[in-house]
Amino acid sequence: LTGADIVLRRSDKSYLKLEAAETDGPGFDEQVSFDGGLTFRPVAATQLNAPSRAYRIEVAGEARDFIEAGPNIKLRGYFESLDSGFSAPGRLTVDDTERYGVAVSAPLLKTAKVDAKYDYVSITNQIEEETTAIDVRYDVNDRLTVGMGLRQNMTEGPAALESGQRADLGFEISY
């Protein structure tokens, strides 16, 4: 395993991370799950015996780090690519894998906030998954908060427990 990490940081909430790694040869066997840990299947590291690379870029920022009196808006995004055969601890990669996503958190009013995110995962010949979520919270007073969230998930591929789309709507009251 050979790798390099670079972190450029403006603050603890605003940064740019770059990571690159290369492996050659098998790592350690592990178990993988595509259904949140309900079922597992073994992945033998001996299958992964070729030079392979992985890259990751992550950027995050808070508006107040760049505009002194700016709004409390937070952004985060990432992109990750792992070649078939990449074999680092906790990262055995049988097929090419690509992940990316973006998230934003922003105030709506003085007492309301919205959080939204999108994530995508593609593992060649196995699974493709997209997840979109939005949550809104409103502080009625200093003790009572109400919220609502919507999440949509699309999953396809032979490794998916079930292929198709799903949407969930939830409500929350906190006192």
Side-chain angles (χ1 to χ4, degrees):
L1 173 65
T2 305
D5 296 337
I6 297 172
V7 178
L8 303 172
R9 191 175 292 279
R10 182 169 177 104
S11 74
D12 61 332
K13 296 178 183 170
S14 297
Y15 56 84
L16 171 67
K17 292 182 184 179
L18 303 168
E19 301 174 11
E22 182 176 82
T23 62
D24 189 4
F28 299 100
D29 293 350
E30 68 178 36
Q31 300 282 323
V32 297
S33 174
F34 292 105
D35 58 11
L38 297 173
T39 60
F40 290 90
R41 72 169 208 207
V43 176
T46 55
Q47 301 174 33
L48 312 174
N49 206 7
S52 301
R53 294 187 174 125
Y55 305 96
R56 180 175 173 86
I57 182 169
E58 182 178 339
V59 62
E62 186 171 301
R64 290 184 179 168
D65 284 342
F66 302 95
I67 305 167
E68 197 170 311
N72 189 20
I73 298 173
K74 298 173 187 166
L75 296 169
R76 180 181 168 271
Y78 67 94
F79 173 81
E80 179 177 85
S81 176
L82 296 95
D83 291 345
S84 172
F86 186 75
S87 166
R91 291 299 193 129
L92 292 184
T93 309
V94 176
D95 293 306
D96 290 344
T97 301
E98 186 174 279
R99 292 181 178 94
Y100 55 84
V102 63
V104 62
S105 178
L108 289 177
L109 306 165
K110 288 186 178 186
T111 59
K113 177 179 146 185
V114 64
D115 295 313
K117 73 176 192 170
Y118 172 82
D119 290 295
Y120 174 83
V121 178
S122 175
I123 303 173
T124 303
N125 301 319
Q126 291 189 42
I127 195 166
E128 184 174 352
E129 184 173 23
E130 286 183 90
T131 304
T132 306
I134 186 165
D135 297 314
V136 178
R137 287 188 168 46
Y138 174 70
D139 295 329
V140 177
N141 56 43
D142 61 341
R143 293 184 181 185
L144 182 63
T145 301
V146 295
M148 181 179 78
L150 176 64
R151 174 185 163 121
Q152 182 166 353
N153 192 331
M154 181 280 302
T155 305
E156 295 178 349
L161 189 60
E162 290 186 26
S163 290
Q165 294 188 18
R166 174 183 173 153
D168 298 304
L169 179 64
F171 298 92
E172 176 184 61
I173 299 173
S174 300
Y175 181 77

